Amino acid sequence: MVKLKEALESCQEEYFLPGNSCCAGCGLEIALRWAIKALGPKIALVTPASCLNVVVGLWPKTAPNFPFTNMAFAAGAAGATGMSAAFKAKAYRFPGKGWDEITAITFAGDGGTADIGIQGLSGAAERNSDQIYVCYDNEAYMNTGIQRSSSTPHGAWTSTTTKGKDRFKKNLPAIMAAHDMPYVATCSISEPLDLYDKFKKAKSIKGCRYIHIMAPCCTGWGYNSEDTIEIARLAVKTGSWILYEVENGIMKLSKASRPLLDPSKRTPLMDYLSKQKRFANISEKDLIELQEYLDHTWKRIEADLSCQEQYPK
Ligand SMILES: Cc1ncc(C[n+]2csc(CCOP(=O)(O)OP(=O)(O)O)c2C)c(N)n1
Ligand SMILES: [Mg+2]
């Protein structure tokens, strides 16, 4: 993994500027800032309707100092597919002008990815469209008033699940990995160097790449804005958010999550939940179900890893 000093030295440049209209302690802002530090300025960003869409789009507080396009809610992956094709056509027509160095990247919320954008995303993945698709996951439709998404966890309060969500979080990275795409990774803003490395790697690969970042939202989850990183860290330490990569079908747990294959190494789930108002009224039944779901998810990962060993590609 890259060292902090090295990462900071190689990315002094800021591409996502301060003074924007993010809430204080916004997880999305940290995710995008580090991702673009790794990718560098030769990118074209596509942002479907979301908090990010508002942050990048409101003059005079436009935050990015690189090209970006606001896109319809469902059309993130389709927009980046078109952009990537246009860059290739330009590179063919005007060789040596650097058009082939530009990466098309979508940065979309969990609603824009797991719900309304999944059709275009699945199509792009199946065609192996040359782009990086990023989902920043704040586990609800935050921009429009904290409505539940398919990425909201079981038992969580949202303005449309006032008694706690009955369904479980959709496992979108697993769905994307099932497309057999060149690169799938999960990240957390509490592990910036891991995130940095994964974006660097994604940049070096051609084809459709998918990165899913856990990006807590103090407004929607109900915690103090200065605790964003701690909350993200607890998501990882409790095993609620698992960090891994799937490269050409081969899964590898990342450093922070690897020890958690041993259940005794996981921080108790309550340490994470009790810090967030969205779980303040979680029922005992939901709590038990959430814990069982988490244990089951880890058992499945363990089984997948051992299957990989038994039947190498
Ligand atoms: C077709 C369509 N339906 C609904 C909306 C309204 N809308 C804008 S942003 C948004 C929520 C986006 O949620 P998510 O993708 O999770 O991003 P977040 O706001 O959480 O950052 C919704 C419902 C829209 N712009 N277009
Ligand atoms: Mg969201």
Short mmCIF file of all heavy atoms in Angstrom, two decimals, residues 24 34 43 49 62 106-107 118 128 157 163 175 202 217 220 227 255 299 303-304:
data_model
loop_
_atom_site.label_atom_id
_atom_site.label_comp_id
_atom_site.label_asym_id
_atom_site.label_seq_id
_atom_site.Cartn_x
_atom_site.Cartn_y
_atom_site.Cartn_z
N ALA A 24 -21.07 20.34 6.52
CA ALA A 24 -19.82 20.07 7.25
C ALA A 24 -19.79 18.59 7.59
O ALA A 24 -20.81 18.03 7.99
CB ALA A 24 -19.79 20.91 8.53
N TRP A 34 -10.30 12.46 -2.43
CA TRP A 34 -9.21 11.48 -2.49
C TRP A 34 -9.21 10.71 -3.80
O TRP A 34 -8.15 10.41 -4.35
CB TRP A 34 -9.29 10.52 -1.29
CG TRP A 34 -8.59 11.09 -0.10
CD1 TRP A 34 -9.15 11.86 0.87
CD2 TRP A 34 -7.21 10.97 0.23
NE1 TRP A 34 -8.20 12.23 1.79
CE2 TRP A 34 -7.00 11.69 1.43
CE3 TRP A 34 -6.11 10.33 -0.35
CZ2 TRP A 34 -5.75 11.79 2.04
CZ3 TRP A 34 -4.87 10.42 0.26
CH2 TRP A 34 -4.70 11.14 1.44
N ILE A 43 -9.64 13.86 -16.34
CA ILE A 43 -10.88 13.09 -16.20
C ILE A 43 -12.04 13.94 -16.68
O ILE A 43 -11.93 15.17 -16.77
CB ILE A 43 -11.15 12.70 -14.73
CG1 ILE A 43 -11.16 13.93 -13.83
CG2 ILE A 43 -10.15 11.68 -14.24
CD1 ILE A 43 -11.77 13.68 -12.48
N ALA A 49 -28.25 13.07 -10.81
CA ALA A 49 -28.96 13.81 -9.74
C ALA A 49 -28.63 13.19 -8.38
O ALA A 49 -28.76 12.00 -8.19
CB ALA A 49 -30.46 13.74 -9.99
N THR A 62 -19.33 26.32 -7.42
CA THR A 62 -18.95 25.09 -8.13
C THR A 62 -17.60 24.61 -7.60
O THR A 62 -16.65 25.36 -7.55
CB THR A 62 -18.85 25.34 -9.65
OG1 THR A 62 -18.22 26.58 -9.85
CG2 THR A 62 -20.19 25.31 -10.31
N THR A 106 -18.01 8.18 -13.70
CA THR A 106 -19.31 8.53 -13.11
C THR A 106 -19.15 8.50 -11.60
O THR A 106 -18.53 7.59 -11.07
CB THR A 106 -20.39 7.51 -13.50
OG1 THR A 106 -20.44 7.43 -14.91
CG2 THR A 106 -21.76 7.92 -12.98
N PHE A 107 -19.69 9.48 -10.92
CA PHE A 107 -19.74 9.49 -9.46
C PHE A 107 -21.20 9.64 -9.10
O PHE A 107 -21.79 10.71 -9.29
CB PHE A 107 -18.93 10.68 -8.92
CG PHE A 107 -17.96 10.31 -7.83
CD1 PHE A 107 -16.68 9.90 -8.15
CD2 PHE A 107 -18.32 10.38 -6.49
CE1 PHE A 107 -15.77 9.57 -7.15
CE2 PHE A 107 -17.42 10.06 -5.48
CZ PHE A 107 -16.14 9.65 -5.81
N ILE A 118 -29.30 1.27 -12.21
CA ILE A 118 -28.68 -0.06 -12.34
C ILE A 118 -28.81 -0.64 -13.75
O ILE A 118 -27.93 -1.38 -14.20
CB ILE A 118 -29.25 -1.04 -11.27
CG1 ILE A 118 -28.36 -2.28 -11.16
CG2 ILE A 118 -30.69 -1.43 -11.56
CD1 ILE A 118 -28.66 -3.18 -9.99
N ASN A 128 -18.53 -3.95 -21.22
CA ASN A 128 -17.18 -3.58 -20.80
C ASN A 128 -16.81 -2.19 -21.32
O ASN A 128 -15.70 -1.95 -21.79
CB ASN A 128 -16.15 -4.62 -21.25
CG ASN A 128 -14.88 -4.56 -20.42
OD1 ASN A 128 -14.87 -4.05 -19.30
ND2 ASN A 128 -13.79 -5.07 -20.97
N TRP A 157 -33.81 3.90 10.34
CA TRP A 157 -34.85 4.91 10.11
C TRP A 157 -34.48 5.71 8.86
O TRP A 157 -33.32 6.08 8.66
CB TRP A 157 -34.93 5.88 11.30
CG TRP A 157 -35.89 7.02 11.05
CD1 TRP A 157 -37.20 7.07 11.40
CD2 TRP A 157 -35.61 8.26 10.36
NE1 TRP A 157 -37.76 8.26 10.97
CE2 TRP A 157 -36.80 9.01 10.33
CE3 TRP A 157 -34.47 8.80 9.74
CZ2 TRP A 157 -36.90 10.27 9.73
CZ3 TRP A 157 -34.56 10.05 9.13
CH2 TRP A 157 -35.77 10.77 9.13
N LYS A 163 -40.41 3.13 10.86
CA LYS A 163 -40.31 2.08 11.90
C LYS A 163 -39.07 1.21 11.67
O LYS A 163 -38.96 0.12 12.24
CB LYS A 163 -41.57 1.23 11.87
CG LYS A 163 -42.81 2.01 12.29
CD LYS A 163 -43.95 1.10 12.66
CE LYS A 163 -45.05 1.88 13.33
NZ LYS A 163 -46.21 2.09 12.48
N ILE A 175 -23.18 -7.82 -7.06
CA ILE A 175 -23.92 -7.85 -8.34
C ILE A 175 -23.00 -7.42 -9.49
O ILE A 175 -22.97 -8.02 -10.55
CB ILE A 175 -25.17 -6.94 -8.27
CG1 ILE A 175 -26.17 -7.48 -7.25
CG2 ILE A 175 -25.82 -6.78 -9.65
CD1 ILE A 175 -27.34 -6.56 -6.96
N ALA A 202 -7.38 1.18 -10.56
CA ALA A 202 -8.49 1.25 -11.51
C ALA A 202 -8.08 2.05 -12.75
O ALA A 202 -8.42 1.69 -13.88
CB ALA A 202 -9.71 1.89 -10.85
N CYS A 217 -23.21 9.99 6.13
CA CYS A 217 -23.87 11.29 6.00
C CYS A 217 -24.39 11.71 7.37
O CYS A 217 -25.32 11.09 7.90
CB CYS A 217 -25.03 11.14 5.01
SG CYS A 217 -26.20 12.51 5.01
N GLY A 220 -28.19 12.69 7.51
CA GLY A 220 -29.17 11.60 7.34
C GLY A 220 -29.04 10.49 8.37
O GLY A 220 -30.01 9.80 8.66
N ASP A 227 -17.68 13.46 13.56
CA ASP A 227 -17.51 12.01 13.76
C ASP A 227 -17.57 11.19 12.46
O ASP A 227 -17.59 9.96 12.52
CB ASP A 227 -18.59 11.48 14.73
CG ASP A 227 -18.41 12.04 16.12
OD1 ASP A 227 -17.27 12.43 16.46
OD2 ASP A 227 -19.40 12.10 16.87
N LYS A 255 -6.60 -5.03 3.50
CA LYS A 255 -5.88 -5.15 4.78
C LYS A 255 -6.79 -4.94 6.01
O LYS A 255 -6.74 -5.71 6.96
CB LYS A 255 -4.74 -4.12 4.79
CG LYS A 255 -3.72 -4.36 5.85
CD LYS A 255 -2.58 -3.37 5.70
CE LYS A 255 -1.78 -3.33 6.98
NZ LYS A 255 -1.01 -2.10 7.10
N LYS A 299 -19.77 -15.43 6.40
CA LYS A 299 -19.63 -16.87 6.10
C LYS A 299 -19.60 -17.09 4.60
O LYS A 299 -18.86 -17.93 4.08
CB LYS A 299 -20.80 -17.64 6.73
CG LYS A 299 -20.62 -17.81 8.22
CD LYS A 299 -21.36 -19.04 8.74
CE LYS A 299 -21.11 -19.21 10.22
NZ LYS A 299 -22.22 -18.75 11.06
N ALA A 303 -16.68 -18.73 2.34
CA ALA A 303 -16.95 -19.83 1.41
C ALA A 303 -16.46 -19.48 0.00
O ALA A 303 -15.85 -20.31 -0.68
CB ALA A 303 -18.45 -20.13 1.39
N ASP A 304 -16.70 -18.24 -0.42
CA ASP A 304 -16.25 -17.80 -1.76
C ASP A 304 -14.73 -17.90 -1.86
O ASP A 304 -14.19 -18.34 -2.87
CB ASP A 304 -16.67 -16.34 -2.02
CG ASP A 304 -18.15 -16.23 -2.35
OD1 ASP A 304 -18.79 -17.28 -2.52
OD2 ASP A 304 -18.65 -15.09 -2.40
#
